Amino acid sequence: MKRSFCLVVIFLATQFLMAFLVTFVVNLPSLWRDGELNVSTLADNPSALGISMILTSIVVVAVMTVLNWTERRGFQWRKVPLKAYWGAVILMIPAIYMVNVLTEKLSLEDVNQTLFAGLMSNFWGVLAIVLAGPFMEEIVFRMGIQRHLMRRHLFPWQAILMSAFIFGVIHGNPAQMPGAMLLGIVLGWLYWRSDCIWLSVTAHIFNNLIGVLTFWIPGLRDRQMSDLVYGGTWGLALSVVLAFLFFMIVYRWLNGMLRQDQSFMRRIRRRQ
């Protein structure tokens, strides 16, 4: 638990430091001219916020690498069959749908709505949301926290749930927390079952990409899932049931494939 706590502190501290650094650099002209620092720079400047997020991702991963809190074996993407990556993407489709329906029904306050709208309309913001963020978060919460918890003799399901809970809470946005926790369980399972960080990174990137594309596509930005389903409440309930069944079918197929692949890799390592 000590390392998990340290990782959360490093994650939050780096966010603060990079935010201060970018704010300072952007305000250098006004500091030189008027001696004033605009503390709301990141909120008003999506490019600055996006660059701050990207720098946070780079620094956090670098610190974990220096501290030897990453695992080289977990970066071997070729040990996972290519069809497993497609399977992870397909698995996320019903998962994203069910999570979005739940989030809409909970009607929790979205305190970051304006910030994300700015980020998704900006090159640096999109780069941070779709690539830098998912990669860094999977390194921290799956390879860092979840793997460490399992090595501390927690059952895999306990480590997955705990890391997913931390992942949800760390978002700090009521509207995101339940969905982040649930998707964190799926991402944690993908990492545990494959022993490869790239599988969960791929799924995470796909999830965030869908969010950005939904924002970009005219007519979808402000619509809810219930608006896209015929039949009202019953139609929505049926769609969730069908999504769950589809999720379980893909899960069972992917689980069998990855379990078989893991057994093969263990035999190879024993021979070596």
Side-chain angles (χ1 to χ4, degrees):
M1 287 298 294
K2 182 179 179 181
R3 179 179 296 186
S4 300
F5 176 77
C6 289
L7 276 171
V8 171
V9 171
I10 290 171
F11 178 80
L12 294 175
T14 305
Q15 280 188 322
F16 174 79
L17 290 173
M18 291 304 104
F20 176 79
L21 175 63
V22 172
T23 299
F24 178 78
V25 171
V26 171
N27 280 276
L28 273 177
S30 61
L31 279 171
W32 180 264
R33 184 179 61 253
D34 306 318
E36 295 181 356
L37 179 68
N38 181 11
V39 294
S40 63
T41 296
L42 297 187
D44 301 333
N45 189 335
S47 292
L49 179 58
I51 292 171
S52 172
M53 292 168 66
I54 293 170
L55 289 175
T56 297
S57 301
I58 294 171
V59 172
V60 168
V61 173
V63 169
M64 289 183 64
T65 303
V66 170
L67 294 175
N68 199 28
W69 286 358
T70 58
E71 186 180 40
R72 183 178 300 177
R73 189 179 68 188
F75 289 102
Q76 297 173 0
W77 66 273
R78 289 186 177 180
K79 68 182 181 180
V80 176
L82 180 61
K83 59 184 177 181
Y85 289 95
W86 287 108
V89 169
I90 295 171
L91 184 73
M92 291 299 291
I93 295 173
I96 292 170
Y97 178 77
M98 290 186 290
V99 164
N100 281 331
V101 170
L102 174 65
T103 302
E104 290 174 4
K105 292 304 177 183
L106 290 175
S107 299
L108 298 173
E109 182 184 7
D110 189 353
V111 298
N112 291 333
Q113 186 174 10
T114 303
L115 284 178
F116 275 113
L119 285 172
M120 288 188 285
S121 303
N122 178 271
F123 171 79
W124 296 107
V126 171
L127 191 63
I129 291 173
V130 176
L131 293 178
F135 177 70
M136 180 267 292
E137 289 174 353
E138 291 309 301
I139 297 295
V140 172
F141 295 100
R142 255 55 73 179
M143 183 175 282
I145 294 176
Q146 181 178 308
R147 179 175 64 95
H148 174 67
L149 291 174
M150 286 193 292
R151 288 189 172 182
R152 299 298 292 178
H153 309 298
L154 264 67
F155 290 111
W157 66 269
Q158 293 174 318
I160 290 171
L161 288 177
M162 190 170 295
S163 64
F165 176 78
I166 298 172
F167 177 64
V169 171
I170 210 73
H171 278 74
N173 183 7
Q176 288 180 282
M177 287 182 185
M181 290 179 190
L182 292 173
L183 291 176
I185 294 173
V186 178
L187 297 171
W189 175 80
L190 286 170
Y191 173 65
W192 166 69
R193 180 50 77 193
S194 66
D195 194 29
C196 176
I197 197 65
W198 295 115
L199 199 62
S200 61
V201 168
T202 299
H204 198 153
I205 287 174
F206 178 74
N207 173 72
N208 289 16
L209 178 62
I210 290 298
V212 172
L213 291 177
T214 302
F215 178 83
W216 283 353
I217 296 174
L220 289 181
R221 183 183 304 181
D222 300 319
R223 298 190 69 180
Q224 295 189 334
M225 290 296 177
S226 55
D227 299 330
L228 305 176
V229 177
Y230 292 103
T233 302
W234 285 105
L236 185 64
L238 178 60
S239 70
V240 171
V241 171
L242 292 175
F244 178 74
L245 291 175
F246 180 52
F247 176 88
M248 292 305 300
I249 290 170
V250 179
Y251 162 78
R252 289 177 63 85
W253 169 73
L254 196 55
N255 185 55
M257 183 205 312
L258 293 174
R259 179 180 294 175
Q260 185 178 17
D261 187 66
Q262 270 192 338
S263 300
F264 174 75
M265 292 302 297
R266 290 194 197 100
R267 290 196 297 271
I268 293 296
R269 285 196 289 267
R270 281 197 292 267
R271 291 172 185 174
Q272 293 174 343

